[in-house]
Amino acid sequence: MKTDSKILSLYDICLIAGVIITNIVYSVVTGTADVIGSLAGIAGVCCVVLVAKGSIWNYAFGLVNVSLYALISYKASLYGDAALNALYYLPMQFIGWWQWRKRGAATSRAASTEPDHDVRVRARRMSGLQRVVLALFSAALVFAGGLLLERLGDPQPYKDSATTVLSIIAQALMALAFMEQWALWIITNVISVAMWSVCVARGEEHAGLMVIMWLFYLLNSLNGLRVWLKLSKGGA
């Protein structure tokens, strides 16, 4: 597969610059210096931008993001998100790196045996039946997770369940290089913006920066779907 090896487009650079500038403006306006929230948000946007481009280096930024986000979610009593990041996302950074290397993603052009070989992962698509099964399975797990989190006293059980369950599935699809991950990421990002907006209203620490981070995630996921539709064309 020979394609343009350019990693970051102008859109990607604007997303990264945008989240950095927005974090600075937020700190000035609120008069606070939320180092943990800013680092989590910036690392997260860098990570998802590189995922959208099919670059294996997303996992380096992912390690920083998931570690800090687990701490932030726990402090906000979003136990589903906290457990998701600490117990699933963290180890999945290493598993994903390994799987992407198996599917052709290289850490540099020199690592490839062919001079014109694309350094990005070889993406693929699900069949129509697989997508139906995915949708039904996801909906059932979200409902079951919401019931459990409600019993545990989660203030937003079904939103927290949706972001947790859909993220688990999307992360697995990401490691396996399936294009359908982006539909789940888009849904997750929309719900996460709503969930953290509620936290802003409650005065939770770091919540404002988390809303900013998820808004940039949403913008990137829309672009990621567009890019992976091309990367997965004819893929299996």
Side-chain angles (χ1 to χ4, degrees), residues 81 84 138 141-143 145-146 149 156-169 184 187-189 191-192 195:
D81 265 8
L84 170 68
S138 299
L141 285 184
V142 167
F143 180 72
L149 290 174
Q156 301 183 65
Y158 291 95
K159 292 190 191 77
D160 200 0
S161 174
T163 58
T164 301
V165 170
L166 296 183
S167 294
I168 288 174
I169 298 172
L184 299 185
I187 296 171
T188 299
N189 294 338
I191 296 173
S192 294
M195 185 171 68

Side-chain angles (χ1 to χ4, degrees), residues 195-217:
M195 185 171 68
W196 282 104
S197 294
V198 172
C199 291
V200 169
R202 295 206 318 253
E204 295 286 354
E205 188 180 9
H206 312 299
L209 289 176
M210 293 302 97
V211 171
I212 293 171
M213 181 184 77
W214 284 105
L215 282 171
F216 277 95
Y217 278 11

Side-chain angles (χ1 to χ4, degrees), residues 82-216:
L84 170 68
N85 281 266
L87 304 179
Y88 180 70
Y89 273 178
L90 190 59
M92 282 298 290
Q93 302 308 303
F94 301 99
I95 295 172
W97 177 282
W98 171 61
Q99 283 290 325
W100 278 36
R101 288 299 298 269
K102 287 180 63 178
R103 288 199 60 80
T107 54
S108 68
R109 178 165 295 279
S112 173
T113 57
E114 298 179 18
D116 295 325
H117 186 78
D118 194 348
V119 300
R120 295 179 295 183
V121 68
R122 292 191 301 273
R124 51 184 171 173
R125 299 185 186 187
M126 289 182 164
S127 66
L129 177 59
Q130 287 174 323
R131 289 174 183 173
V132 171
V133 172
L134 174 65
L136 294 176
F137 180 69
S138 299
L141 285 184
V142 167
F143 180 72
L147 290 177
L148 175 61
L149 290 174
E150 190 172 31
R151 287 180 175 273
L152 294 175
D154 192 307
Q156 301 183 65
Y158 291 95
K159 292 190 191 77
D160 200 0
S161 174
T163 58
T164 301
V165 170
L166 296 183
S167 294
I168 288 174
I169 298 172
Q171 183 72 32
L173 295 180
M174 171 183 155
L176 296 172
F178 279 108
M179 177 274 295
E180 285 74 13
Q181 62 168 297
W182 291 106
L184 299 185
W185 287 132
I186 290 170
I187 296 171
T188 299
N189 294 338
V190 170
I191 296 173
S192 294
V193 169
M195 185 171 68
W196 282 104
S197 294
V198 172
C199 291
V200 169
R202 295 206 318 253
E204 295 286 354
E205 188 180 9
H206 312 299
L209 289 176
M210 293 302 97
V211 171
I212 293 171
M213 181 184 77
W214 284 105
L215 282 171
F216 277 95

